Amino acid sequence: GDSVTQMEGPVTLSEEAFLTINCTYTATGYPSLFWYVQYPGEGLQLLLKATKADDKGSNKGFEATYRKETTSFHLEKGSVQVSDSAVYFCALIRGSNYKLTFGKGTLLTVNP
Amino acid sequence: DTAVSQTPKYLVTQMGNDKSIKCEQNLGHDTMYWYKQDSKKFLKIMFSYNNKELIINETVPNRFSPKSPDKAHLNLHINSLELGDSAVYFCASKLAGGNADTQYFGPGTRLTVL
């Protein structure tokens, strides 16, 4: 079945550091790929997405590129802020039922 | 205006009780979902309804019964609650159709079974 593997963390960075959270997936066909973010005490919000190979999703300084050859969708940000502290989930959708399959989440803490 | 709302936000109850969680979306979406997030933050789909019809039913105990009175609402009823049911339950919704794949999540309901 479909699966998503992401680095488990926790990840602790200083403000303005570079962030990478790795995500790889297993799925047949051509899934759509997503990063969702969950701030403390809140629900999930879509951060960015990509629906086909070589697409780059971007939002709020975060970027991720859909790499079909490596089945990856790594999340990057050049300079993190304290307000980026949250749990980040990589996810995919494949097929007509649009069931989201999530990775286990990565807790990011950014210190001032 | 809240797009996807859930009630209650917190629910504390005893083992063996029956409880319901309600979800409403005002986005005009056709498809709604229930997800469970365990204590380690792992998220897993439970159910999905499209226009009041059940389309996804993952291997969830039959103590859990979703009900969709109309396409804007998807409620979750849980019978005979067990300790392992303690989790955060998220409702989500999306438009039906091939290009509308973004799901919008509610704020979650934290269920604690004592």
Side-chain angles (χ1 to χ4, degrees), chain A residues 32 34 36 38 41-44 46 49 51 87 89 93 97-100 102-104, chain B residues 9 33 35 37 40-43 45 56 58 90 94 97-98 101-103 105-107:
Chain A
S32 294
F34 303 81
Y36 278 85
Q38 185 178 26
E42 298 185 13
L44 280 80
L46 177 67
K49 69 177 185 180
T51 57
V87 180
F89 293 91
I93 279 178
N97 62 19
Y98 298 100
K99 176 180 74 169
L100 268 169
F102 285 94
K104 292 191 175 181
Chain B
K9 190 171 174 61
Y33 303 81
Y35 290 87
Q37 185 176 45
K40 296 184 178 179
K41 299 286 190 184
F42 185 56
L43 273 155
I45 191 165
I56 296 175
E58 294 291 289
F90 287 101
K94 69 172 284 294
D101 52 10
T102 299
Q103 294 183 22
F105 283 77

Side-chain angles (χ1 to χ4, degrees), chain B residues 40-102:
Chain B
K40 296 184 178 179
K41 299 286 190 184
F42 185 56
L43 273 155
K44 190 170 166 59
I45 191 165
M46 300 174 70
F47 300 104
S48 175
Y49 270 74
N50 180 266
N51 277 323
K52 303 194 296 174
E53 180 182 347
L54 181 67
I55 57 171
I56 296 175
N57 184 350
E58 294 291 289
T59 50
V60 177
N62 58 14
R63 298 182 295 104
F64 290 78
S65 52
K67 294 275 192 307
S68 182
D70 56 61
K71 70 176 191 178
H73 296 83
L74 181 60
N75 304 323
L76 184 64
H77 188 75
I78 315 170
N79 288 327
S80 304
L81 277 155
E82 300 178 356
L83 293 176
D85 298 333
S86 295
V88 181
Y89 292 84
F90 287 101
C91 177
S93 72
K94 69 172 284 294
L95 269 173
N99 293 324
D101 52 10
T102 299

